[in-house]
Amino acid sequence: MIYSSWRLLAEAVSVLMESAPANIDVDEVHDAMTDVAGVAEIHDLHVWTITSGLISLSAHAVVTDHHSDTETLRAMREMLHDRFGINHITIQIEPEGFEERPIPV
Ligand SMILES: [Zn+2]
């Protein structure tokens, strides 16, 4: 029982240890996303590996011009794939001044 719990914990820790892919500089990803036309700010950025070859990204993107949301999202996704090889992408688009309240647990 104790052994089994320990093994589960060890597996969870090993998953966490994989969370930062060695070949990806998260600060560089952040700057590259901010450089995309229409993007004012990036926050809550996370990059991690699920299995080898599958790099996931989640982020919040504050966009300035909502007429080009589609184009901005497409540009971010293509850039992340072409430049960083990130192939599983989840981006939350937010309007400027969006009040992000904590979600109660
Ligand atoms: Zn946010």
Side-chain angles (χ1 to χ4, degrees):
M1 179 67 165
I2 289 166
Y3 172 76
S4 153
S5 301
W6 170 250
R7 203 181 57 176
L8 278 176
L9 178 64
E11 281 171 8
V13 168
S14 95
V15 167
L16 288 173
M17 296 294 277
E18 280 179 55
S19 67
N23 58 328
I24 289 187
D25 180 338
V26 178
D27 289 339
E28 195 183 331
V29 173
H30 178 276
D31 292 348
M33 290 181 78
T34 308
D35 283 345
V36 170
V39 177
E41 187 204 315
I42 296 291
H43 57 268
D44 276 5
L45 172 61
H46 302 281
V47 184
W48 72 99
T49 305
I50 294 177
T51 58
S52 79
L54 181 59
I55 303 171
S56 289
L57 173 145
S58 75
H60 297 190
V62 178
V63 295
T64 48
D65 178 5
H66 284 278
H67 296 293
S68 63
D69 274 358
T70 304
E71 195 50 49
T72 302
L73 190 54
R74 183 183 296 132
M76 277 192 286
R77 291 173 57 87
E78 285 176 1
M79 182 279 294
L80 288 166
H81 176 263
D82 295 349
R83 184 165 161 190
F84 297 100
I86 297 170
N87 38 22
H88 188 265
I89 299 165
T90 307
I91 296 172
Q92 169 171 311
I93 298 283
E94 295 176 8
E96 282 186 291
F98 178 65
E99 191 187 339
E100 206 155 15
R101 296 192 185 140
I103 297 167
V105 282

